[in-house]
Amino acid sequence: MSEDLRAPVAFTVMAVLLAIVGFTQSWSVSLSVINLCIISSIMAIGVNLQWGYGGLFNAGVMGFTALGGLTAVLVSHDPIYEAWDKAGIGIVISAIIFVLSITTLLFVFRNIENKQIRNTLIILIIVFGLIGINNFYGPSIDIIESINPAKTGFLGGLGLPIIFSWLIAAVVAGLVAWVIGKITLRLRSDYLAIATLGISEIVIAVVKHEDWLSRGVKNVSGLDRPVPYEIELQQSEWFLNLVERINFSKLEAMQSLSSRQDLLNDLVIDSSGIFVKLCYVGLFFSVLLLIFYLSQLALNSPWGRMLRAIRDNEEAASAMGKNIFAQHLQIFIIGSAIIGIAGAMLTTLDGQFTPGSYRPLRFTFIIWLMVIIGGSGNNLGSIFGGFFIWFIWIEAEPLSIGFMNMLAGGLEYDNPLRMHLLGSAAHLRLFIMGLLLLLALRFMPRGVIPEKIQKK
Amino acid sequence: MENFEFINATVLLANFVIVPALSYGSQLALATLSLTIIYGVLRFSNFAQADWMSFGTMATILFTWLFQSIGITAGVLPTALLALPFAIIVTALFCLLIDRSVYSFYRKQKSQPIVLMIVSVGVMFILQAVVRFIIGPNDRKFFDGEKYIVHALDFKNYFGLEEGLTIKSTQLITVIVALIAMISLFYFLQKTKLGKSMRAYSNNEDLALLSGINPEKIVIVTWVISSILITTAGVLYGLDKSFKPFTYFNLLLPMFAAAIVGGIGSPIGAVIGGYVIAFSEITLTYAYKKFFVYLLPENLEPSGLMQVLSTDYKFAISFIILVIVLIVRPTGIVRGKII
């Protein structure tokens, strides 16, 4: 198939698959899948910028997603004034000590030549920094966590609409990426992967265990929504009218008034769920389009050409006077910021922040699959990869249960082998993912929608 | 009396820090060695290595169950030690099968290390599925035989101390088995012809090919050694604690950290790195309050837990060390391959 045709065909197939889910399961399920598909696509674009265009293997996708999620909480949750009054000062002081120790450490490390003096100073700073932080930090977090622990027990957020958090998440993720990039980007590619993998684990550890900041594994739920609630919709006049108008013929067919009223009630409840999901689809899709448009613009600019030049031949680009490290840092920050946005969107969609749910398999490696199978270096490919892989990830479970049932067809109902087969069906999806990745790497190494080779 | 306090403090430290760190360090060192061997010879970071560890351990557990069901046990020693050789054979065969069907293609194409690394992510998925499919995702204990060599209570009564020292038999077994494995590996690499050709291949592939070394043979030997080490490490870890696929997957991080801290590609570095990571994980998260209560006069006793980092950050520590090493000395403790 010609490469120009691949993208339309791939997206048509995807649309058909989603429509099949809509008709066979329900539109509500299909829309939930689409929402997560869009978020995955955004993450995939972020990774694609780093890998496809910059050649950087960032295995810390999970960390940036979690940072985005944390930002969503910190922006949208109401501030807990009591906690701030009683212990805010302690936290602020320990934060100041922390920043001061780090900056003096860096200063000492860079400016003092004598090794002996340098090492003593470093040890002194670390010891005094730790003592100072422990003095303020420990007591303050005890106070914060004791204030209404069942409901809050943390400092709360800014109380702004959650939609702002998407932008702020980009800034936060970008800042963290800047620090991480400074440390790791001078390393060879697979070191970078290992280092980022580790750093993302550190981020998760912090989010999980610093209860004063994020409530840790106690989760934050009930975040506010950028879209209306179902219950509000069900009570509003215009929505009732809308549902009535859309389903006019169905309702007309009803004989009695009461059965007509019952049907209308059911329809309103169903439609309100679908309406909310459609709102999310609209919001997310506009973000996806915007990010896609901007990335395309950037990548077709001289800047994008330079990045590809660096990716394809670092030495040559360096000889032409390009600063490899600075460019890598830039693209690393931009990609991570996009992942951060997606993380905030994900938490917005869930309406809750659950640090325990961040696992590297789900949030790092699956995203990688999307980029590689979709076609690294091509943003459309990443979008397709995001849709396709997420779809498979979700639908693999019912399919594998069906498959296992077929395998165990001849066996008795309570046969232990049958029970085992059905019980392990969920693990088949890992197998499918691995197999897809290996097959793609072997037979379609450039992905479903490959990068366009630009000829003069 | 003063002296007694000191002994108590030492025993306390030995019981909670030194003995556990030694056994965990030995397990980590073996696992890191296998990662390093793959890295040194086949030239890629194998993300699937932790899952090979689960696979090997799973095979051992299955053989252990088989032996137990037909009544074979190892007496005071855990049956798993009898099952280990069989499990190693199975693991090595499966490793070779995967190598033939997956990795060899990319080796022939001379793909970049990063591509092989991504391929290993695919293998990682498949292995996780296989392990969870066969034995399930749950926690399993497969230890049998004599549990303790020294029990805390006996120790206390015997020496008349306030603090007891426990040495589990698995801890002693771990250290002994690990020592044997390490010594034989170093003997193999330094003294035998095959080991020397392996090092030559790792050092300079083209030169090794010119001098008539058969690369296929080297690859096979590498996978076999890697499976021996990783299965042993997994079984020792599982005997000491328990077997759970997800926990084993999480060991990938300390393994990588140990490999880089020690100096990637260097076997001695792997061993040192393993112990460094294990000791720092445990020493930095141990609460030294009781230790200082013994040592210091009453008016100086500490009020806090005297803990550098909370145990929640156990996993993060290996990476904090990794980051520091990357900044200060990117080649690792023993200078490994150049970055």
Side-chain angles (χ1 to χ4, degrees):
Chain A
M1 197 187 309
S2 115
E3 290 193 352
D4 289 338
L5 265 178
R6 280 193 183 183
V9 171
F11 280 103
T12 318
V13 169
M14 202 58 238
V16 170
L17 283 175
L18 286 166
I20 291 175
V21 171
F23 281 116
T24 55
Q25 288 175 296
S26 78
W27 286 104
S28 178
V29 172
S30 181
L31 283 174
S32 323
V33 176
I34 290 178
N35 272 324
L36 284 167
C37 282
I38 297 176
I39 292 177
S40 310
S41 300
I42 295 178
M43 289 186 193
I45 290 184
V47 174
N48 184 39
L49 288 185
Q50 296 176 337
W51 167 246
Y53 288 88
L56 303 171
F57 196 114
N58 171 13
V61 182
M62 169 181 74
F64 295 109
T65 316
L67 277 176
L70 178 66
T71 313
V73 171
L74 294 185
V75 167
S76 73
H77 201 281
D78 291 326
I80 313 293
Y81 292 109
E82 202 189 341
W84 275 108
D85 281 348
K86 283 186 183 155
I89 195 91
I91 291 289
V92 172
I93 290 177
S94 31
I96 291 174
I97 297 178
F98 182 72
V99 173
L100 272 182
S101 332
I102 296 282
T103 39
T104 40
L105 261 184
L106 281 180
F107 180 80
V108 167
F109 199 76
R110 284 201 186 136
N111 294 320
I112 293 183
E113 300 285 335
N114 186 325
K115 265 199 171 168
Q116 235 169 346
I117 303 181
R118 190 169 75 183
N119 290 348
T120 1
L121 275 177
I122 288 177
I123 292 171
L124 277 180
I125 295 170
I126 292 177
V127 168
F128 278 104
L130 275 180
I131 292 175
I133 290 174
N134 270 338
N135 255 340
F136 291 100
Y137 179 74
S140 320
I141 56 172
D142 285 344
I143 298 174
I144 294 172
E145 284 166 19
S146 66
I147 297 170
N148 198 359
K151 273 196 162 158
T152 56
F154 73 132
L155 280 175
L158 300 172
L160 296 171
I162 199 161
I163 212 137
F164 285 117
S165 73
W166 299 0
L167 259 187
I168 301 175
V171 177
V172 172
L175 277 177
V176 174
W178 177 71
V179 176
I180 297 177
K182 278 267 182 196
I183 302 172
T184 55
L185 281 179
R186 289 187 196 278
L187 306 171
R188 214 187 61 180
S189 47
D190 44 349
Y191 271 45
L192 176 68
I194 296 163
T196 42
L197 185 71
I199 291 172
S200 76
E201 284 296 332
I202 298 181
V203 170
I204 300 296
V206 170
V207 175
K208 249 186 189 168
H209 302 300
E210 296 302 308
D211 286 13
W212 60 272
L213 181 68
S214 64
R215 286 199 89 216
V217 282
K218 286 180 282 183
N219 304 340
V220 182
S221 51
L223 293 174
D224 74 350
R225 266 186 182 183
V227 299
Y229 286 85
E230 284 88 345
I231 197 84
E232 286 169 17
L233 282 175
Q234 288 159 18
Q235 286 158 357
S236 55
E237 195 68 30
W238 63 268
F239 187 72
L240 292 178
N241 289 335
L242 185 74
V243 175
E244 216 170 338
R245 204 173 310 153
I246 292 173
N247 296 295
F248 189 70
S249 53
K250 255 193 207 167
L251 290 168
E252 278 300 286
M254 282 293 145
Q255 300 293 324
S256 68
L257 206 62
S258 68
S259 60
R260 189 191 145 107
Q261 195 56 43
D262 287 345
L263 181 67
L264 183 63
N265 276 342
D266 286 349
L267 282 172
V268 164
I269 290 172
D270 281 352
S271 327
S272 63
I274 289 182
F275 183 82
V276 167
K277 281 175 183 160
L278 272 176
C279 286
Y280 275 123
V281 171
L283 266 178
F284 291 169
F285 200 69
S286 22
V287 175
L288 175 66
L289 278 184
L290 185 69
I291 288 179
F292 174 68
Y293 175 71
L294 290 178
S295 332
Q296 285 301 86
L297 216 58
L299 294 168
N300 292 326
S301 68
W303 182 76
R305 273 204 301 280
M306 174 182 63
L307 274 178
R308 285 195 294 274
I310 291 177
R311 178 196 63 188
D312 292 338
N313 191 337
E314 266 185 33
E315 278 95 24
S318 178
M320 301 298 279
K322 303 295 175 201
N323 183 344
I324 312 280
F325 174 71
Q327 298 311 326
H328 276 171
L329 191 60
Q330 255 179 27
I331 195 77
F332 188 69
I333 292 174
I334 296 174
S336 306
I338 293 178
I339 300 169
I341 296 177
M345 288 163 66
L346 184 69
T347 304
T348 310
L349 177 67
D350 290 343
Q352 56 176 356
F353 180 58
T354 49
S357 65
Y358 290 95
R359 299 263 175 108
L361 216 57
R362 152 79 178 87
F363 283 101
T364 299
F365 294 116
I366 290 286
I367 310 296
W368 268 93
L369 246 81
M370 294 170 182
V371 175
I372 287 168
I373 292 179
S376 29
N378 188 327
N379 287 324
L380 262 186
S382 299
I383 295 180
F384 172 72
F387 272 82
F388 181 66
I389 296 296
W390 187 258
F391 183 81
I392 304 264
W393 181 250
I394 291 294
E395 294 296 324
E397 203 160 332
L399 285 181
S400 13
I401 290 178
F403 175 70
M404 288 299 183
N405 259 326
M406 212 173 69
L407 267 188
L411 298 171
E412 307 258 320
Y413 181 73
D414 52 353
N415 182 306
L417 182 63
R418 180 177 179 279
M419 306 285 268
H420 179 83
L421 283 177
L422 284 182
S424 335
H427 310 307
L428 255 191
R429 76 174 174 189
L430 290 175
F431 193 83
I432 296 174
M433 289 293 145
L435 202 62
L436 270 178
L437 179 60
L438 291 182
L439 289 177
L441 281 170
R442 179 74 155 264
F443 300 107
M444 216 189 250
R446 295 173 61 220
V448 176
I449 309 176
E451 183 185 1
K452 279 204 183 84
I453 309 284
Q454 289 173 350
K455 292 175 191 126
K456 270 264 165 89
Chain B
M1 202 57 204
E2 189 75 357
N3 219 359
F4 231 52
E5 300 271 276
F6 180 72
I7 295 174
N8 265 328
T10 320
V11 171
L12 181 79
L13 212 59
N15 190 28
F16 287 105
V17 177
I18 297 170
V19 173
L22 257 182
S23 66
Y24 176 48
S26 313
Q27 293 147 9
L28 204 54
L30 283 186
T32 311
L33 267 176
S34 79
L35 193 72
T36 288
I37 295 266
I38 299 276
Y39 186 90
V41 181
L42 304 178
R43 294 188 176 78
F44 70 99
S45 310
N46 191 357
F47 270 61
Q49 203 64 4
D51 292 296
W52 279 117
M53 190 157 147
S54 338
F55 183 86
T57 314
M58 176 197 74
T60 313
I61 295 178
L62 295 180
F63 276 110
T64 308
W65 286 347
L66 178 74
F67 287 163
Q68 283 168 344
S69 69
I70 54 177
I72 301 175
T73 56
V76 288
L77 293 173
T79 317
L81 288 185
L82 282 182
L84 184 60
F86 298 93
I88 288 176
I89 294 172
V90 172
T91 312
L93 285 178
F94 195 45
C95 258
L96 290 174
L97 178 75
I98 296 267
D99 181 72
R100 264 300 107 86
S101 53
V102 181
Y103 292 119
S104 70
F105 173 79
Y106 300 95
R107 223 173 17 245
K108 276 186 203 112
Q109 293 213 316
K110 295 213 178 297
S111 299
Q112 291 194 335
I114 194 101
V115 175
L116 276 159
M117 189 173 101
I118 300 174
V119 172
S120 78
V121 171
V123 175
M124 174 186 98
F125 272 101
I126 292 200
L127 282 177
Q128 293 204 344
V130 168
V131 170
R132 284 170 170 76
F133 185 76
I134 296 178
I135 206 168
N138 301 327
D139 221 352
R140 286 186 194 278
K141 288 195 187 297
F142 54 102
F143 176 79
D144 55 359
E146 189 61 43
K147 197 158 186 194
Y148 294 102
I149 291 176
V150 180
H151 198 278
L153 264 179
D154 302 336
F155 186 87
K156 272 193 227 175
N157 294 338
Y158 188 79
F159 288 103
L161 290 172
E162 277 176 60
E163 287 302 324
L165 177 68
T166 311
I167 299 181
K168 286 194 280 181
S169 53
T170 52
Q171 290 168 331
L172 189 69
I173 293 171
T174 296
V175 175
I176 292 174
V177 173
L179 271 180
I180 295 173
M182 285 178 217
I183 291 171
S184 25
L185 177 72
F186 285 113
Y187 179 82
F188 170 78
L189 286 178
Q190 301 292 337
K191 301 286 176 197
T192 61
K193 195 170 176 216
L194 201 54
K196 280 179 190 166
S197 50
M198 217 166 116
R199 283 194 301 140
Y201 183 83
S202 153
N203 217 348
N204 189 333
E205 198 180 329
D206 297 327
L207 217 56
L209 293 180
L210 272 178
S211 43
I213 290 170
N214 178 2
E216 284 308 300
K217 199 166 147 195
I218 300 289
V219 169
I220 293 174
V221 173
T222 307
W223 282 114
V224 170
I225 292 179
S226 155
S227 345
I228 294 175
L229 290 169
I230 202 74
T231 310
T232 314
V235 169
L236 292 175
Y237 187 87
L239 283 175
D240 203 12
K241 291 162 182 114
S242 66
F243 170 71
K244 189 180 181 191
F246 187 66
T247 324
Y248 273 50
F249 171 62
N250 273 340
L251 285 177
L252 183 68
L253 306 173
M255 266 156 68
F256 269 132
I260 294 181
V261 167
I264 199 154
S266 145
I268 303 232
V271 174
I272 297 176
Y275 284 108
V276 166
I277 295 291
F279 268 90
S280 25
E281 262 188 30
I282 294 177
T283 46
L284 290 180
T285 53
Y286 179 66
Y288 290 96
K289 183 177 181 183
K290 221 173 160 191
F291 177 73
F292 284 111
V293 168
Y294 277 122
L295 283 189
L296 298 174
E298 235 160 76
N299 50 1
L300 275 178
E301 272 173 18
S303 55
L305 282 170
M306 296 299 287
Q307 196 176 16
V308 181
L309 271 171
S310 116
T311 33
D312 301 333
Y313 288 103
K314 213 168 187 171
F315 261 122
I317 285 176
S318 46
F319 271 92
I320 296 171
I321 296 171
L322 173 64
V323 169
I324 294 172
V325 167
L326 285 179
I327 301 172
V328 181
R329 193 185 167 107
T331 44
I333 297 171
V334 178
R335 297 221 181 263
K337 303 220 158 178
I338 3 128
I339 303 179

